[in-house]
Every structure is written in C-alpha cells, then in structure tokens.
Amino acid sequence: MAPIALKKSASSAQGLTRGGAPDARGLVRDAVRATLASPPLGSQPPLPQRQADWVQAEIRFGPPVGRLALDATPVPRVLCCEEIDGRRWSYVVDDGGHPRRGSAVRAVPMQCPMAPLEELMSFVRSYVVPEGFPDSVAPSYVPYMTWRALKYFFGGAMGVFTTRTLLSSVGVSKNRATSGAVAINWILKDGAGRVGKMLFARQGKKFDYDLKQLRFAGDLLMELGAGVELATAAVPHLFLPLACAANVVKNVAAVTSTSTRTPIYKAYAKGENIGDVTAKGESVGNMADLLGTGLCILISKRNPSLVASFAFLSCGYVFSAYQEVKSIVLNTLNRARFTVAVDSFIKTGHVPSLKEGNSKENIFRPPWSKHTSVVLGPRFCDAFQEPTSFIAIERLFEKERYMVTYNPSKDKIYALLKDQAKSDDILKAAFHAHVLLYFIQLSNTNQALKKLRNSNQSKYEEPILPTNADFLAHMVESCKIVSSSYAIFKRKAAEQVMHGRLATLW
C-alpha cells in the first residue's frame, strides 16, 4: 500500500510539541504501524502505483507555518540550452532545482523526433552544403553550385562515350600490333597530357584577376579535347597523335579549373570556412559526375547515335559552363569589371553593384587578347606618333603621375605611368583613359555622320590621317571631367565594394 501523507493541524502540532517531543513521536509511530498492518478495504480496489503518485509523508515540529507544500512535485531546474546542427536540447537537474554534489543531469530534447525522410535529408545535406548553410556562404553560392553540378553531370556522361571510343580505337589497333605496343601508346597519351599541364601555368596572376575568362576558356578546351577523342573512332590508325593532342588539351583545361577554384570558393566563404566550402563543392561535383556516368552507361547499352548523343551532351555542357561562370560574384575589380563600372558612371552617374558589375562582365574576351581599346602601361613608341604630340599634351599632365593619349593610327587609348606612380595613380590613369575613350567614340560617331551627309565628296580625294594633336581638345575636356569626378567615382565604387564585403561577412 502506498505511503499515506499525514497532515497535522497547526494547533495539534503545537500541543504535541509542548507536551513533550518523545511522547508525540511515539504516538505518531504507533499510528503509522497500525495503519500499515491493517488489511485493505474490500470495497476499494487497490490503486495502481505510479511514480508521480508517491508523496513522502512529512511531519513538521516547531512553530506553525502558513502552508505545507507536501503534495507538490519538485520542479526541475534548467541549467542551459544547446543547439547542434539545428537540433536543440535543454539540460535539467531533477533534485528539486537545487543541484548538489552527485546530482544527475539529463538532456531533454526540445523538438519532436525527426522523421526518417528528414533524417535522410539531413544526412545528404551534411555532404553537399557547408555547415551553417545558408548563413555560412554568400547568396550567390546556390546558383553557382547548381550550374556546376549540371556541368559535371554532362561531363560525366560525355566521358562514357569518349572512353568507349578510345577503347574501341585501341582494339582496332590491337589487331595490327602487340599488346605491349598498345600499352606504350596509352602511356604516351598520358605523358603528353602531363606536359600539357605545364603549358598553361605561365598565365600567372591572370588566374586570380581574369579567372572567369580563363575558366570558360578551359571548359571550351575540355569540350574540344572530348571531340578530338571522339574523332579517333573515324581514324583508328591515328589513335596515338589524336589521343595525345586530346589529352594535352584536356589537361590544360584541368589546370585552369584547378587554379581558379580557390579564388571562387574564397569569394563565397564567410569567415574562415573556405576549407568546408571547398570540400562540399567538390563533393557536389563528384556526385553529379557519378550520376551522369551511371545514367549514360544505362543509355549506352541501347546503342544510341554517337554523334547525336555527343552533340546533345556538348550543348548541355557548354551552356551549363557559361551559366556557372556568369553566376560567379567576385568582390574585386579587374579590367573588365572596371570598364563596366566606369562606363555606367560616365553615362548615368551611377556605379553598379558588385552583382550587377559581375553579370555584365564580358567573359568571351580572354586576358591575352590584344584587341583592347585601352592599353595600360605601354611603350612610348606605341603611344605617340611623333614628338610634337608628346610636347602638346605634356603640360596637361605636369601635376599627374601618368599621361593619357590617343593614337588614331591604332585607334587605341594609351595610359603611360611615370616613375613615382602609386596604386591610386594607376587607378586614376585607367579612369582617365576610359573617359577619353568615351569622348573619342562620341567624336568618331559624329564624324561618321558628317561623312554620310557630305556624300558628294570626290572619291579620288586622298584622306588626311589625323594625329595625336588633332584630339587635343578632347584631352583637355577629359582632364576637366577627371579632376571633378574622379573622387566621386572612387567614393561610390568604394561604397559598393564595402557593401558587397559586408553582405558576404554577414
């Protein structure tokens, strides 16, 4: 039978105390023993005993109290709360909220148990997204990884067809050569690919500044190498030269992809989690590659058209590679993004945001291209046609550490740097060159309109070639614009860059 909670009124307890403590304790002890020894009543069935129903008997001797909380259950004390990977627990002490030496601490989950599907999604998420996602990466991380995974999917699918073609070509050659010769051909193919890895390393800092252009060029080279490998099926007797050439091209593309990977992941990482971002990015790429490879193996068993399948996969690969590069948002300004910023400022007075500037960047012009309108740091002989042109504009740049001129024979703007030029002087020279380019292009447009109006001019009249001095008025005007607007442009550009960095940090 459950213990009975005994309650005594204040007057009874006080009387017992006055009469003597030993007699009172004896009466209470006899009453408890008689109660425990008595049989249960037949009319009342025994109640089920639960842990919550047990209330220890308590008798207080001494002065009367206003209220005895004998039937109240002790409230556990919450020590702290904990959150790990989105799940939260609270740690409590059960000893009436008063922890002491030897007290037990237990963890109480603060949410319902996860469903099996949710558990599976949490497991997959731990392999594909960085910890703390989405707060641990930049907002543009998701579209970039989406297109990257799609590109690897098409790349893995193409690898099935190209590998199948190479093995088929080796099999044809095997009928005319020994197995040793076939092995030597395959080793030579791989050796040529390793040589190709060294050819593209001389690009140097372009992997950091113009990484979008180089990365997209590398993807195109990868596609070209796959096409050359596919061509070995048509001419199997040329397996060695074609396979070597394809491997050289593909390894150059691999070097480009590897070299531009770290700056891209660095732009997406928030804080010191670049290692986690890199690991999860590579994991996503490998999963997509395996998925594309497995799916293409199943499709290849039906012997589809090799050319049609490769054409479809190539289109998907190139489109995904283009969208992947366009989705990259870098927090720095290279020449292409600087041109976008200056052109927007000259025409609208507004400096575009980092995202807008990155989206308008031209990725089809490789950094080694010589077809540029502005040349920074050229030779003196390239910038000026004759000494009089230099003497005419020298006074305009006496207080500057650079000189900007236009060579009409080459239709280019040249920005020359003096010995004392600092980083800010280089930036100002580039800004001045783009301002002068804007005036020159506007002048050329007006001259073209005048030629159309004066169509009665004799076609036998020999044209007069302009010189640097002929554009002196445009240079004077550009100097005035730069002196009044360069500080404004620099301030607005710094605000956009700082805003982008703060968005990345937070």
Side-chain angles (χ1 to χ4, degrees):
M1 180 177 178
I4 299 176
L6 299 179
K7 296 183 180 180
K8 286 287 184 179
S9 62
S11 59
S12 301
Q14 188 174 5
L16 289 173
T17 306
R18 291 175 182 174
D23 297 336
R25 292 193 184 96
L27 291 175
V28 171
R29 190 183 302 112
D30 295 339
V32 172
R33 288 177 180 175
T35 305
L36 294 176
S38 60
L41 299 176
S43 59
Q44 296 182 353
L47 298 176
Q49 297 181 2
R50 295 179 299 175
Q51 185 176 1
D53 296 331
W54 285 82
V55 180
Q56 299 296 332
E58 181 178 359
I59 301 177
R60 298 185 179 218
F61 301 94
V65 294
R67 182 181 181 184
L68 297 177
L70 300 179
D71 297 329
T73 304
V75 179
R77 178 185 176 185
V78 179
L79 294 179
C80 63
C81 297
E82 182 181 56
E83 181 175 357
I84 301 177
D85 295 335
R87 305 191 67 182
R88 292 191 289 179
W89 291 268
S90 62
Y91 289 89
V92 300
V93 180
D94 293 328
D95 293 345
H98 300 285
R100 56 178 181 269
R101 185 182 299 275
S103 300
V105 180
R106 58 189 177 93
V108 179
M110 301 178 65
Q111 65 277 322
C112 299
M114 297 178 63
L117 181 59
E118 191 175 352
E119 287 278 2
L120 178 62
M121 293 301 298
S122 178
F123 176 77
V124 174
R125 195 181 298 113
S126 65
Y127 280 91
V128 298
V129 295
E131 294 182 7
F133 177 85
D135 298 329
S136 60
V137 292
S140 55
Y141 176 79
V142 174
Y144 168 74
M145 291 307 304
T146 302
W147 290 111
R148 176 178 171 84
L150 193 60
K151 185 186 76 171
Y152 271 78
F153 174 81
F154 286 111
M158 283 193 304
V160 175
F161 288 102
T162 55
T163 304
R164 180 182 178 183
T165 302
L166 288 174
L167 293 176
S168 177
S169 301
V170 170
V172 173
S173 302
K174 189 176 179 180
N175 296 331
R176 304 177 183 177
T178 61
S179 59
V182 173
I184 291 175
N185 287 346
W186 197 271
I187 293 173
L188 290 176
K189 173 185 75 71
D190 292 341
R194 292 183 176 89
V195 173
K197 287 185 176 181
M198 299 182 293
L199 298 179
F200 220 49
R202 66 185 300 270
Q203 295 300 323
K205 291 185 177 180
K206 293 184 178 67
F207 288 117
D208 298 295
Y209 301 152
D210 302 315
L211 59 91
K212 291 186 181 182
Q213 292 79 2
L214 288 174
R215 192 175 185 88
F216 187 66
D219 291 330
L220 295 179
L221 288 177
M222 182 69 73
E223 193 63 31
L224 177 62
V228 174
E229 288 179 344
L230 201 69
T232 58
V235 281
H237 57 282
L238 298 177
F239 167 79
L240 183 59
L242 290 179
C244 288
N247 221 26
V248 168
V249 172
K250 293 181 71 173
N251 276 274
V252 169
V255 169
T256 306
S257 177
T258 304
S259 303
T260 57
R261 179 188 307 159
T262 301
I264 294 175
Y265 286 142
K266 185 178 179 180
Y268 288 123
K270 286 185 178 181
E272 300 297 330
N273 62 335
I274 185 173
D276 186 23
V277 173
T278 303
K280 299 304 169 54
E282 296 306 302
S283 177
V284 170
N286 291 331
M287 289 181 183
D289 185 85
L290 291 174
L291 183 61
T293 301
L295 184 61
C296 196
I297 289 176
L298 296 177
I299 297 176
S300 63
K301 293 182 178 180
R302 301 183 179 182
N303 295 322
S305 174
L306 186 62
V307 177
S309 301
F310 184 79
F312 171 75
L313 295 175
S314 297
C315 292
Y317 182 87
V318 173
F319 179 75
S320 302
Y322 174 77
Q323 293 295 336
E324 176 199 14
V325 174
K326 292 293 290 185
S327 64
I328 299 174
V329 178
L330 300 175
N331 301 327
T332 57
L333 291 177
N334 63 350
R335 292 191 179 185
R337 293 189 290 276
F338 182 78
T339 301
V340 173
V342 176
D343 289 344
S344 176
F345 178 77
I346 294 174
K347 297 176 181 178
T348 65
H350 168 71
V351 176
S353 62
L354 287 175
K355 184 177 181 180
E356 183 181 355
N358 278 268
S359 63
K360 294 181 179 180
E361 181 180 359
N362 185 8
I363 64 173
F364 292 101
R365 179 176 294 176
W368 57 81
S369 175
K370 297 182 179 180
H371 300 286
T372 57
S373 301
V374 176
V375 180
L376 192 62
R379 298 185 60 186
F380 181 87
C381 58
D382 295 330
F384 295 96
Q385 293 175 291
E386 65 280 333
T388 56
S389 301
F390 172 75
I391 296 173
I393 68 171
E394 183 182 11
R395 61 182 178 81
L396 298 175
F397 300 95
E398 289 179 350
K399 298 181 180 180
E400 302 292 346
R401 296 178 180 177
Y402 66 90
M403 295 183 67
V404 176
T405 185
Y406 172 66
N407 192 336
S409 62
K410 299 180 180 179
D411 194 25
K412 291 183 179 180
I413 304 293
Y414 294 93
L416 295 89
L417 304 174
K418 299 181 181 179
D419 292 337
Q420 302 84 7
K422 305 297 182 181
S423 58
D424 186 69
D425 300 311
I426 298 174
L427 184 65
K428 188 175 182 180
F431 178 79
H432 197 150
H434 283 87
V435 172
L436 180 59
L437 177 64
Y438 174 77
F439 286 114
I440 295 297
Q441 291 176 344
L442 191 62
S443 175
N444 292 339
T445 303
N446 295 333
Q447 290 179 2
L449 292 175
K450 289 181 180 180
K451 288 182 180 180
L452 291 176
R453 293 172 183 173
N454 301 330
S455 57
N456 296 329
Q457 184 180 3
S458 176
K459 62 180 179 180
Y460 299 103
E461 187 175 340
E462 192 171 325
I464 301 176
L465 295 177
T467 61
N468 301 68
D470 296 330
F471 297 90
L472 184 61
H474 296 305
M475 295 180 188
V476 173
E477 189 175 2
S478 67
C479 289
K480 295 179 181 179
I481 297 296
V482 170
S483 62
S484 61
S485 61
Y486 172 68
I488 301 175
F489 168 78
K490 186 178 178 181
R491 175 175 55 82
K492 290 186 176 182
E495 290 175 355
Q496 292 293 348
V497 174
M498 184 60 65
H499 177 73
R501 288 180 177 176
L502 289 176
T504 302
L505 291 175
W506 293 103

